[in-house]
Amino acid sequence: MNLSQHDWTSQLAADSNAIILDVRTEDECNEGIIPDSINIDIYKGQGFIYEVDALDKTKNYYVYCRAGSRSAQACNIMSQMGFEHTYNLEGGFMNWQGEVAFPKE
């Protein structure tokens, strides 16, 4: 499900069962991340599938990438894998207005 930045952030703030998933590359993450997100690069192909498959399917996943298309693709893949609640950030990190953190070295 695609959500505007406002809806994504307000729904996320009220969700005690939420996980933020960043599907960008490591280089993109080095430019900044949404705080408390976990990174699984969708470009890893089968590696992405393996890592996502190890995630807890009972959680709600708030997924983002740079512009919104890879995260939409990730949400579709995750839905096919049995994840019931995935939310794509429309416009991605490029349009993010919220807090930004930097990955720990």
Side-chain angles (χ1 to χ4, degrees), residues 65-100:
C65 66
R66 184 170 177 272
S69 63
R70 280 177 287 168
S71 48
Q73 183 183 5
C75 286
N76 288 333
I77 291 167
M78 292 171 75
S79 292
Q80 291 169 12
M81 293 172 68
F83 290 85
E84 288 186 33
H85 304 287
T86 59
Y87 306 100
N88 179 42
L89 175 60
E90 289 180 337
F93 192 74
M94 247 178 9
N95 295 332
W96 178 247
Q97 299 293 313
E99 192 179 337
V100 174

Side-chain angles (χ1 to χ4, degrees), residues 8 19-24 36-41 48 52 55 61-65 71 74 78:
W8 197 85
I19 303 280
I20 305 170
L21 178 61
D22 181 338
V23 297
R24 299 175 303 155
D36 302 319
S37 61
I38 59 171
N39 174 246
I40 304 176
D41 182 354
F48 174 78
V52 166
L55 297 173
Y61 290 88
Y62 293 79
V63 187
Y64 73 96
C65 66
S71 48
M78 292 171 75

